[in-house]
Amino acid sequence: SQQGEEDPQALSIQEGENATMNCSYKTSINNLQWYRQNSGRGLVHLILIRSNEREKHSGRLRVTLDTSKKSSSLLITASRAADTASYFCAYGGATNKLIFGTGTLLAVQP
Amino acid sequence: DAGVTQSPTHLIKTRGQQVTLRCSPKSGHDTVSWYQQALGQGPQFIFQYYEEEERQRGNFPDRFSGHQFPNYSSELNVNALLLGDSALYLCASRQLAGDYTGELFFGEGSRLTVL
């Protein structure tokens, strides 16, 4: 299977703390993206990092990419209760389809 | 600007039946992909439609078929339903050419339960 793997599978933190989740993938990629999903609803795109980039920021989000290790991490700083959701990495290669990881369930306690 | 819309939101079928799910892409988008998401798992790519043709297909049997209409909307059909087909079916759209950012826009999904 080409599906990426994420760890941890679940993460529980307090409001104000930082949350870090990791993604490992198996193929060469053009870009890697992170999506958020609330309670089994639709996915919302958070951030995209291209294969020639090593780090990218967007608001409270920071993404890193290490193509030599085929891994990426998503850092959410100063987390809020509203950040409680499942987070998925997704990556694409030469084709147009995206392959999603297994997801990290983040719970932020108020 | 309407986003991706899917219907129905929930449906229950029995084994052996057939189901059709519908998707209208975001305005300005011409490419539709379908994903299956089992409970507790990440979405799995089923297939992608562009210019009314299936362009790519994931590892799904022929029981899964689709269609794209001239207005870019799409249908997913699943025949001979199995219990294992119970899942959230997600439609995503994008613009294949032009100012493409790589981002997919998802609908809220159709939750299928097979009894």
Side-chain angles (χ1 to χ4, degrees), chain B residues 60-71:
Chain B
F60 279 81
D62 292 345
R63 298 187 297 109
F64 289 76
S65 63
H67 190 78
Q68 185 179 35
F69 300 93
N71 67 352

Side-chain angles (χ1 to χ4, degrees), chain B residues 53-108:
Chain B
E53 290 188 15
E54 183 183 295
R55 299 293 178 167
Q56 290 188 70
R57 189 178 184 91
N59 189 26
F60 279 81
D62 292 345
R63 298 187 297 109
F64 289 76
S65 63
H67 190 78
Q68 185 179 35
F69 300 93
N71 67 352
Y72 308 121
S73 67
S74 177
E75 287 181 350
L76 164 65
N77 301 292
V78 187
N79 295 323
L81 286 168
L82 304 173
L83 295 179
D85 295 331
S86 295
L88 181 68
Y89 288 85
L90 294 161
C91 172
S93 73
R94 51 167 280 191
Q95 188 176 11
L96 188 64
D99 186 20
Y100 171 55
T101 63
E103 173 183 358
L104 284 182
F105 291 79
F106 281 85
E108 292 295 326

Side-chain angles (χ1 to χ4, degrees), chain A residues 40-79:
Chain A
R41 301 185 65 185
L43 283 81
V44 175
H45 181 264
L46 295 176
I47 191 168
L48 178 151
I49 185 166
R50 302 196 185 281
S51 60
N52 61 353
E53 298 176 311
R54 291 297 169 258
E55 186 171 312
K56 196 163 184 179
H57 296 255
S58 177
R60 294 185 296 115
L61 305 179
R62 189 190 86 159
V63 171
T64 61
L65 179 64
D66 186 335
T67 53
S68 67
K69 296 181 179 178
K70 289 187 166 59
S71 67
S72 174
S73 67
L74 172 68
L75 168 67
I76 304 174
T77 60
S79 62

